[in-house]
Amino acid sequence: NYFRAARILRLIRLVRLLRLHKISELAGRVGRRNSHASVELMMKLGRLLAIILLLNHYVACAWYALGTASIDSQEETWVTFHHLQDAHPALRYAMALHWSLTQLTPATNNINPHNLWERCFATCVVLLALFMFSSFVSGVTSAVNELQMLSVKRVLERSRVASYVKKRKISAELGARILNFFDDNYGKAREYQEKDLPFFRDIPESMRIRLHEEIYTQLLRSYKVVAMTYHVGEDLYVRICHQAISERYFFKREEVFVDGVKAQHARVLTHGGVVYISPQADNLVTRFRDQRVWLSEAAIWVHWLHVGVLAVEVESQIAEVDCATLRTLACEASGSIYNCLRTCAIFVAHHLDICVREREAVTDLPMDERQVERLVRRALQFCRLPPPPRSSLRRQTFKSRLLNSSSFTNLLNRIPF
């Protein structure tokens, strides 16, 4: 019973090998987090080497067991032949591991089988090595060739860029900046976007709509206007997720937009780090790192020119909302949601005019959430109020004052809804 229990305990200890699956998953997560192709290839080589070492460990343990099982008998083993009966177990394991490595690789050793069981085991190991070693060599060769191809492609592309800079007689300062940007960024694998995977163009349209809804709904609802009007136009916002939102991956030191250019997108930082500099606001410098923030949101509501520069400090992923497509979808939706959004646009344009008249800084940075919430609540009330009877109108409401104001026509001309 004692020996049976000991045997069962040894079998239970083998269950610990299941931890290797967790190690494989961990390595996979690390590989996905690191986007550099050369690092992925190096990890592939490391996995191959780890598999070979693990296999050799188990072969060495079996060889060690064969050599020590018959020490007390008259049968000669590799342990007794080399007079290792009283040697430290670490020395015997090291010699067994050396023997195992020489069976799977083209190397020599002075350890040979000395009985039938050792001879049979050595034959099986050689047959296994025929398959394992060839697979290992082909895997290593493939990985090394891929690394060389990456290096050759990078060197060739850099020489073309340098040649172009030279032939166009670009200034030394700008040429150096271009080549430095190339050295810092080119060759790094961007995170896969939907447009990079042709498969997603072939899936059914209903599946793509559902895909975009699950990916972008939370991002869209992070905008205060959408969050407060989602109950009014859920169908519209699903179509916006499907048709008006896309993602882009930006390298370090890339510029997302520059001062004076017409804004066609509102942008949302999903992860990474950016810096915004506004020359018109006393060189205001604002940094955002790994936080969901809306930038140039005014482009949704009015015809907008960027009044600053947005640059990338670390590799970043930014969602882009196509403002023209968003407005087109809102017009097609019509009804209460269109009226509500159009009223929001009027109020935002009015708010921006007030900021300009009061000489407040107007930038591409997000508006104050409390101010946005007040504007949206006012727009919702504005749309829900029925027009008052003219005969009973004694005091002008905010709505009538706005409609009768001289600047109302100018506001309507400014909003693209």
Side-chain angles (χ1 to χ4, degrees), residues 243-412:
Q243 300 182 38
I245 303 181
S246 59
E247 289 180 322
R248 284 186 61 190
Y249 188 81
F250 289 87
F251 285 137
K252 181 181 178 181
R253 293 192 293 176
E254 233 180 313
E255 292 174 341
V256 182
F257 58 75
V258 294
D259 186 22
V261 176
K262 182 179 179 180
Q264 297 179 344
H265 299 88
R267 293 178 168 88
V268 189
L269 176 67
T270 54
H271 71 78
V274 296
V275 57
Y276 176 77
I277 304 172
S278 178
Q280 300 185 20
D282 298 327
N283 289 322
L284 172 70
V285 178
T286 308
R287 286 180 167 82
F288 302 99
R289 179 66 65 90
D290 291 326
Q291 62 185 100
R292 186 171 291 174
V293 57
W294 285 70
L295 299 161
S296 62
E297 61 180 302
I300 298 175
W301 310 111
V302 298
H303 297 293
W304 184 256
L305 295 179
H306 291 299
V307 288
V309 178
L310 183 67
V312 177
E313 290 191 309
V314 297
E315 287 80 3
S316 303
Q317 184 166 294
I318 296 177
E320 296 183 330
V321 181
D322 190 315
C323 298
T325 303
L326 184 150
R327 292 190 290 266
T328 300
L329 293 173
C331 292
E332 292 174 354
S334 65
S336 57
I337 183 62
Y338 170 72
N339 293 330
C340 182
L341 293 179
R342 192 168 186 269
T343 307
C344 285
I346 295 173
F347 288 158
V348 170
H350 183 63
H351 171 71
L352 294 174
D353 280 345
I354 293 176
C355 291
V356 172
R357 286 199 302 267
E358 296 181 355
R359 299 183 181 277
E360 295 182 11
V362 179
T363 68
D364 296 286
L365 296 176
M367 295 173 58
D368 181 67
E369 281 201 0
R370 290 173 296 181
Q371 179 66 35
V372 174
E373 183 176 352
R374 285 195 294 268
L375 293 178
V376 177
R377 290 190 183 281
R378 186 179 296 174
L380 289 171
Q381 295 171 0
F382 193 97
C383 294
R384 291 172 181 175
L385 282 175
R390 293 187 179 182
S391 59
S392 62
L393 185 61
R394 296 184 178 179
R395 185 169 58 89
Q396 282 191 323
T397 62
F398 172 79
K399 179 177 181 180
S400 61
R401 290 199 305 270
L402 178 62
L403 292 175
N404 295 328
S405 65
S406 60
S407 62
F408 183 68
T409 303
N410 294 331
L411 290 176
L412 289 180

Side-chain angles (χ1 to χ4, degrees), residues 1-10:
N1 292 334
Y2 172 79
F3 289 110
R4 185 179 300 173
R7 191 177 297 111
I8 292 174
L9 288 175
R10 291 194 191 97

Side-chain angles (χ1 to χ4, degrees), residues 36-82:
H36 204 293
S38 61
V39 174
E40 293 180 3
L41 291 174
M42 292 299 294
M43 291 189 66
K44 180 180 177 181
L45 285 173
R47 285 197 298 270
L48 288 173
L49 183 60
I51 291 172
I52 290 296
L53 289 176
L54 182 64
L55 179 63
N56 275 277
H57 166 72
Y58 287 114
V59 171
C61 290
W63 184 248
Y64 182 98
L66 285 174
T68 57
S70 303
I71 289 179
D72 297 332
S73 65
Q74 298 298 323
E75 190 175 24
E76 189 175 38
T77 66
W78 67 270
V79 173
T80 58
F81 181 81
H82 292 280

Side-chain angles (χ1 to χ4, degrees), residues 229-249:
T229 59
Y230 194 81
H231 64 286
V232 182
E234 182 177 353
D235 292 338
L236 168 63
Y237 291 128
V238 170
R239 290 197 294 274
I240 289 174
C241 289
H242 178 52
Q243 300 182 38
I245 303 181
S246 59
E247 289 180 322
R248 284 186 61 190
Y249 188 81

